[in-house]
């Protein structure tokens, strides 16, 4: 997704016009709110002068309002600017503008495009607090979400000294896309996360789009041995690549003074992923450029040389290629290693909108060659698995992937407000071979086992069985994992529904004739916020009489992993109450569930 409506690009132009406009039409109105002086200037322009020293200016947001422009001014200079859907008729929620470090005597805001009659003038307030405690029934328990505001792609994932860093596309000024920053969180176990606010904020080169981080162990860039170096796209009217570095283990980042480090005349030129290529002893940057990937090399992270392009005639091209990754993985059961090029695509996914495809092949430090150009391979067969990238420098040679659990078709409209979007559960990637082809396997990362609380095991049972989780656990159980093995006798369809007392359900089934696993969320709860939401997603299966399945259920998602991760399917759901029951059925024969365990999943922190 790239919105041309990204308004940062117009800032320079608009700002100078605005300042002239302000000086020309001074029309002061009396103060409405004691801690501010609000002056309306006509034509939707206003100035707010801050009169009280507080930590935050809390701005009231109405999501149905258009974006208004705000310029934060300290000592007559613009120090920050943002687009905010300021409340005109009603307040949906508040967003904070952090005023720390500014003296109220020198601080004011210019507002553009907001009528004098808008409710925001009465509702905005100064405060030392901004409450981020959860107010959403759909906020996941064990999936990562931003403390507040909008999130899309995971960015800059890097492991260093026992800590997993996760950065992410963040809008701190609303729960819809815009004002892209890199939010930052850390974890030592991939399931308990600590929020650290925004690490990289927009500047004169643009907003901060997706990218990656590396640990520069040998100080190739000269920022210091062990510096974390971040690469991101500066997005304004054009997209260019920039870098920033941290010499305090990711606590603070300093932008490189000579940004941008890479430019192009192409409009879609973004999402740098940087890796170290051991054989050629060079850094490699893979970039998404329109519908191809470009590969660059560098000895020092600053000077980049184009080595090759990849994409024409390869895989799916239903939309723009975004958020690439390039990793080397061992092939299960062999001594071989192969390179995997991850390519996120929007639109053009198998069920509409966004999806992650990948290519398996060779890479010599210059050129990636796909083993099977005729095949399109999808990493996940659900509708809500996008912008997948892996952790850099992960321990034990692991390649841990994380996806944004949404789809650009409806991401801005899903029924949450205090925050919007979660990430998938982390998955370890590996390769396996089937019918002479090499595929990626997505295994839920071992850290997820830590979430398991109480477990209820059932002995072998036949079809037509129903279990109520609340009864099994004698407690409300709405976040859980089911692990089961199914042995088919002669059924054509093996199916089961997760459902609640409101008749809302997610139906899953194996069709043994068509060799497909499917998940139907058309009756899953609230599906009306987008015509693209109610869907049945399907994954090819290999067949055979024994099927293993792990299901991860959180407040607003179902993730299915079949046969140790040989297929994965991730879908959002918004039930009016949790699905606390499961019931099994068969068509055309019968089967046994030979092992069935439900684990209550809880986060310890
Ligand atoms: C993918 C994407 C990236 C871009 C970012 C902007 O979801 O469109 O290509 O960098 O989102 O937020």
């Amino acid at each position: 997704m790239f919105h041309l409506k990204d308004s940062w690009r117009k800032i320079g132009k608009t700002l100078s016009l605005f300042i002239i406009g302000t000086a020309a039409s001074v029309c002061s109105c009396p103060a409405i709110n004691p801690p501010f002086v609000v002056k309306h200037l006509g034509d939707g322009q206003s100035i707010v002068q801050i009169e009280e020293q507080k930590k935050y200016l809390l701005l009231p947001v109405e999501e149905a309002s258009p974006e208004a422009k705000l310029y934060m001014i300290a000592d007559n200079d613009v120090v920050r600017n943002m687009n905010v859907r300021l409340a005109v008729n009603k307040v949906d929620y508040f967003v904070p503008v952090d005023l720390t470090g500014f003296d109220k005597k020198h601080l004011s805001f210019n507002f553009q495009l907001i009528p004098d009659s808008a409710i925001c003038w009465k509702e905005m307030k100064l405060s030392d607090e901004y409450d981020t405690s959860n107010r959403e029934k759909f906020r996941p328990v064990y999936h990562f979400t931003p403390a507040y505001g909008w999130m899309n792609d995971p960015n800059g994932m890097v492991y260093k000294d026992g800590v997993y860093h996760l950065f992410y596309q963040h809008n701190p000024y609303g729960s819809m896309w815009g004002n892209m920053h890199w939010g930052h969180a850390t974890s030592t176990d991939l399931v308990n996360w600590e929020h650290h606010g925004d690490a990289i904020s927009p500047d004169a080169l643009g907003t901060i789009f997706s990218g990656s981080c590396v640990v520069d162990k040998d100080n190739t860039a000269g920022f210091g041995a062990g510096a974390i170096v971040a690469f991101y796209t500066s997005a304004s009217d054009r997209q260019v690549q920039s870098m920033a570095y941290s010499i305090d283990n990711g606590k603070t980042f300093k932008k490189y003074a000579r940004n941008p480090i890479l430019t192009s005349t192409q409009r879609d030129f973004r999402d740098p992923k940087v890796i170290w290529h051991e054989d050629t002893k060079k850094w490699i940057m893979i970039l998404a450029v329109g519908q191809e990937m470009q590969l660059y090399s560098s000895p020092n992270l600053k000077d980049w040389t184009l080595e090759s392009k990849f994409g024409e005639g390869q895989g799916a091209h239903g939309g723009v290629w975004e958020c690439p990754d390039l990793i080397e993985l061992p092939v299960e059961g062999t001594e071989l290693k192969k390179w995997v090029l991850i390519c996120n695509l929007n639109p053009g996914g198998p069920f509409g909108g966004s999806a992650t495809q990948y290519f398996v092949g060779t890479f010599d430090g210059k050129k990636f060659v796909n083993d099977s150009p005729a095949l399109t391979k999808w990493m996940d067969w659900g509708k809500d698995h996008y912008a997948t990238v892996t952790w850099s420098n992960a321990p034990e040679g692991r390649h841990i992937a994380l996806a944004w659990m949404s789809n650009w078709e409806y991401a801005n409209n899903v029924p949450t407000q205090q925050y919007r979007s979660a990430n998938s559960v982390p998955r370890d990637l590996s390769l396996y071979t089937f019918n002479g082809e090499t595929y990626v396997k997505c295994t839920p990362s071992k850290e997820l086992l830590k979430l398991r609380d109480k477990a209820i095991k059932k002995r072998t049972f036949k079809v037509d069985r129903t279990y109520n989780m609340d009864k099994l656990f004698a407690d409300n159980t709405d976040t859980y994992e089911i692990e089961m093995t199914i042995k088919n006798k002669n059924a054509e369809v093996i199916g089961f529904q997760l459902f609640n007392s409101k008749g809302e359900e997610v139906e899953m089934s194996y069709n043994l004739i068509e060799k497909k696993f499917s998940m139907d969320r058309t009756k899953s709860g609230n599906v009306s916020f987008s015509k693209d939401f109610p869907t049945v997603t399907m994954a090819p299966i290999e067949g055979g009489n024994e099927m293993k399945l792990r299901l991860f259920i959180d407040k607003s998602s179902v993730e299915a992993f079949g046969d140790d991760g040989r297929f994965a399917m991730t879908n959002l759901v918004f039930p009016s109450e949790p699905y606390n029951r499961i019931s099994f059925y068969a068509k055309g024969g019968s089967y046994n569930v030979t092992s069935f365990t439900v684990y209550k999943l809880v986060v310890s922190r």
Side-chain angles (χ1 to χ4, degrees):
M1 189 260 3
F2 171 59
H3 293 269
L4 278 177
K5 70 174 184 222
D6 180 10
S7 35
W8 292 97
R9 66 197 148 94
K10 296 195 198 108
I11 279 167
K13 223 187 324 174
T14 331
L15 188 57
S16 45
L17 283 176
F18 170 69
I19 287 168
I20 296 165
T22 307
S25 54
V26 179
C27 143
S28 305
C29 308
I32 300 171
N33 239 349
F36 322 109
V37 175
V38 182
K39 293 176 177 170
H40 296 305
L41 311 173
D43 292 336
Q45 306 204 19
S46 303
I47 289 181
V48 169
Q49 284 168 328
I50 305 295
E51 297 282 298
E52 218 177 279
Q53 195 76 44
K54 292 274 183 193
K55 189 158 191 273
Y56 300 111
L57 172 64
L58 300 184
L59 296 171
V61 171
E62 179 181 0
E63 289 205 335
S65 297
E67 284 183 326
K69 282 189 183 305
L70 259 81
Y71 299 98
M72 178 168 158
I73 295 173
D75 279 329
N76 302 301
D77 279 328
V78 174
V79 286
R80 221 175 284 163
N81 44 41
M82 57 209 84
N83 300 322
V84 187
R85 295 176 188 276
L86 281 165
V88 176
N89 301 305
K90 72 170 174 66
V91 181
D92 290 331
Y93 51 85
F94 286 86
V95 291
V97 180
D98 194 340
L99 309 180
T100 315
F102 295 101
D103 183 339
K104 64 160 183 160
K105 289 195 215 94
H106 308 266
L107 203 56
S108 63
F109 284 83
N110 285 337
F111 288 75
Q112 292 190 355
L113 307 173
I114 311 149
D116 300 358
S117 59
I119 198 175
C120 64
W121 306 119
K122 270 213 311 265
E123 293 287 342
M124 67 178 67
K125 43 189 173 226
L126 287 165
S127 171
D128 282 326
E129 316 263 295
Y130 177 65
D131 181 13
T132 57
S133 37
N134 184 41
R135 293 186 288 281
E136 298 272 0
K137 76 172 192 169
F138 290 127
R139 192 190 281 268
V141 167
Y142 57 88
H143 289 81
F144 179 81
T145 51
Y148 66 95
W150 163 271
M151 174 176 84
N152 57 294
D153 318 355
N155 294 154
M157 287 137 61
V158 65
Y159 176 87
K160 183 163 189 266
D161 302 337
V163 177
Y164 290 92
H165 293 264
L166 166 63
F167 301 88
Y168 54 92
Q169 288 285 279
H170 186 219
N171 182 2
Y173 304 120
S175 298
M176 297 174 101
W177 187 86
N179 304 307
M180 296 331 293
H181 290 57
W182 273 27
H184 184 204
T186 53
S187 170
T188 51
D189 62 7
L190 294 169
V191 291
N192 290 287
W193 291 98
E194 202 178 319
H195 290 283
H196 302 292
D198 290 312
I200 309 183
S201 303
D203 56 31
L205 288 176
T207 53
I208 313 299
F209 273 19
S210 292
S212 57
C213 283
V214 294
V215 179
D216 187 10
K217 296 187 180 107
D218 298 328
N219 196 18
T220 60
F223 301 134
I228 296 182
V229 186
F231 297 84
Y232 57 89
T233 301
S234 296
S236 57
D237 192 30
R238 286 291 185 280
Q239 301 181 350
V240 297
Q241 314 318 319
S242 295
M243 68 199 267
Y245 59 94
S246 171
I247 48 173
D248 57 7
N249 275 337
K251 283 196 193 72
T252 56
F253 278 83
K254 190 166 172 41
K255 287 175 183 149
Y256 178 51
R258 294 191 60 81
N259 282 333
I261 51 164
L262 197 58
T263 63
S264 164
T265 53
Q266 303 252 20
R267 284 201 88 94
D268 288 309
F269 181 68
R270 60 179 178 270
D271 307 342
K273 170 77 186 196
V274 176
I275 60 163
W276 174 251
H277 189 251
E278 186 55 34
D279 291 355
T280 55
K281 300 261 181 289
K282 278 196 176 157
W283 296 103
I284 303 296
M285 179 191 288
I286 175 163
L287 262 184
V289 187
Q291 292 206 11
E292 66 177 23
M293 297 300 178
Q294 293 187 353
L295 292 130
Y296 295 79
S297 71
S298 170
N300 60 8
L301 294 171
K302 294 172 178 162
D303 305 303
W304 294 94
T305 308
L306 178 66
E307 297 288 357
S308 64
K309 299 178 177 181
F310 171 83
E312 212 183 313
Q314 313 277 335
H317 283 270
V320 176
W321 285 18
E322 300 184 315
C323 303
D325 203 344
L326 190 58
I327 50 180
E328 196 183 20
L329 296 175
V331 185
E332 210 175 74
T334 72
E335 298 289 293
L336 278 179
K337 280 184 155 195
K338 283 186 182 273
W339 284 86
V340 176
L341 192 158
I342 298 176
C343 167
N344 292 279
L345 164 81
N346 178 64
F351 309 102
S354 326
T356 308
Q357 65 176 329
Y358 64 91
F359 307 95
V360 181
T362 55
F363 176 62
D364 60 1
K366 288 178 180 289
K367 201 173 155 75
F368 175 83
V369 180
N370 182 8
D371 280 353
S372 317
L375 270 186
T376 300
K377 297 176 180 174
W378 300 106
M379 194 175 281
D380 186 289
W381 295 87
K383 226 184 140 157
D384 300 297
H385 182 272
Y386 194 57
T388 317
V389 281
T390 62
W391 254 278
S392 177
N393 199 38
E396 303 155 32
R398 292 172 69 185
H399 291 278
I400 310 163
L402 200 63
W404 173 51
M405 196 159 54
S406 198
N407 189 312
W408 281 117
E409 281 186 341
Y410 42 72
N412 276 291
N413 308 106
V414 298
T416 65
Q417 281 202 322
Q418 181 196 12
Y419 82 97
R420 210 175 255 119
S421 297
N423 287 334
S424 69
V425 292
R427 298 144 192 224
D428 276 58
L429 305 184
S430 55
L431 291 173
Y432 71 97
T433 312
F434 175 67
N435 279 349
E437 265 303 327
T438 313
Y439 295 96
V440 167
K441 196 178 191 183
C442 303
T443 311
S445 297
K446 62 180 185 204
E447 286 79 358
L448 292 163
L449 299 177
K450 271 186 65 174
L451 297 170
R452 290 179 173 180
D453 186 38
K454 276 189 250 156
I456 305 282
K457 258 190 171 54
K458 290 286 161 194
R459 273 199 256 128
T460 298
F461 58 84
K462 290 198 194 124
V463 287
D464 298 330
R465 184 67 65 101
T466 300
Y467 287 115
N468 182 325
M469 310 315 155
D470 294 355
K471 292 217 174 104
L472 290 181
F473 289 99
D475 197 3
N476 287 342
T477 307
D478 49 7
T479 56
Y480 53 96
E481 177 191 341
I482 295 177
E483 191 172 35
M484 60 180 153
T485 309
I486 301 170
K487 285 223 170 81
N488 192 21
K489 286 198 213 145
N490 50 4
E492 291 175 359
V493 175
I494 293 173
F496 48 93
Q497 294 110 343
L498 289 172
F499 64 105
N500 62 21
S501 75
K502 300 276 191 291
E504 297 163 348
E505 62 173 40
V506 177
E507 179 170 353
M508 284 169 257
S509 61
Y510 287 93
N511 186 319
L512 285 321
I513 310 292
E514 291 172 13
K515 296 207 172 136
K516 276 182 186 152
F517 173 85
S518 65
M519 196 187 294
D520 178 345
R521 68 170 177 198
T522 54
K523 291 176 269 174
S524 56
N526 183 352
V527 297
S528 62
F529 54 87
S530 161
K531 66 167 181 28
D532 298 314
F533 189 77
T535 357
V536 183
T537 58
M538 277 183 235
I541 54 168
E542 294 163 16
N545 285 334
E546 186 176 289
M547 283 139 286
K548 282 201 266 173
L549 190 65
R550 280 176 80 184
L551 298 174
F552 287 84
I553 289 102
D554 205 336
K555 300 268 186 182
S556 48
S557 58
V558 178
E559 281 156 289
F561 295 90
D563 298 330
D564 300 318
R566 285 160 95 100
F567 74 81
M569 189 178 282
T570 303
N571 282 316
L572 290 176
V573 286
F574 298 97
S576 58
E577 64 180 41
Y579 311 118
N580 57 1
R581 280 160 242 206
I582 186 166
S583 87
F584 292 82
Y585 68 88
K587 282 185 195 160
S590 149
Y591 61 89
N592 283 331
V593 178
T594 54
S595 86
F596 179 84
T597 312
V598 188
Y599 300 92
K600 206 173 173 141
L601 298 186
V602 298
V603 172
S604 53
R605 189 188 286 259

